[in-house]
């Protein structure tokens, strides 16, 4: 079980669509090349940008003692459905230069 940061279950991390209450959500764990970019952000919902495409998405940074972290995930994205999960997974796999936290843009 992943403990969600505030707001994480109401918005698809990939497409930004509002997720209706009682609707299923899907989780996608990510392992990043530079996890130090997420240092000090544990338990927070952050905006992340894929430098190659410019795609911005929302991700939770798992707490150190969370199941997501124990499973090796540096970030966890809640999405509204399988279509967004596949799109995120594909885009993430194609990204060569790593991810960057959008530091000046509050979620």
């Amino acid at each position: 079980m992943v403990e969600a940061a505030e707001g994480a279950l109401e918005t698809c991390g990939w497409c930004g669509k509002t997720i209706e209450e009682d609707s299923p959500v899907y989780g996608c764990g990510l392992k990043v090349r530079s996890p130090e970019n997420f240092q000090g952000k544990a338990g927070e919902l952050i905006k992340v940008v894929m430098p190659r495409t410019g795609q911005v998405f929302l991700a939770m940074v798992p707490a150190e003692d969370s199941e997501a972290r124990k499973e090796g995930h540096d970030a966890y994205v809640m999405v509204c459905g399988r279509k967004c999960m596949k799109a995120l997974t594909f885009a993430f796999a194609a990204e060569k230069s790593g991810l960057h936290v959008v530091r000046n843009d509050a979620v």
Side-chain angles (χ1 to χ4, degrees):
M1 175 85 180
V2 175
E3 287 189 37
E6 186 175 336
L9 299 179
E10 292 87 21
T11 305
C12 177
W14 184 249
C15 74
K17 175 181 137 184
T18 298
I19 299 172
E20 298 298 322
E21 190 174 330
D22 298 327
S23 293
V25 293
Y26 298 80
C28 188
L30 303 174
K31 180 84 174 147
V32 300
R33 288 180 183 88
S34 302
E36 63 274 5
N37 289 340
F38 299 154
Q39 193 168 11
K41 300 283 187 185
E44 293 182 26
L45 182 63
I46 59 171
K47 285 187 180 180
V48 181
V49 64
M50 293 182 173
R52 189 177 68 79
T53 64
Q55 174 71 36
V56 177
F57 64 95
L58 297 175
M60 291 181 290
V61 179
E64 293 301 322
D65 61 347
S66 69
E67 285 298 315
R69 182 71 70 190
K70 290 175 188 171
E71 292 173 8
H73 302 300
D74 299 313
Y76 210 84
V77 182
M78 302 306 288
V79 294
C80 63
R82 290 191 170 120
K83 182 178 176 182
C84 282
M85 186 166 53
K86 287 179 183 179
L88 170 64
T89 303
F90 179 78
F92 187 75
E95 190 63 48
K96 304 286 188 223
S97 57
L99 304 173
H100 300 290
V101 176
V102 179
R103 295 189 188 279
N104 61 349
D105 200 1
V107 174

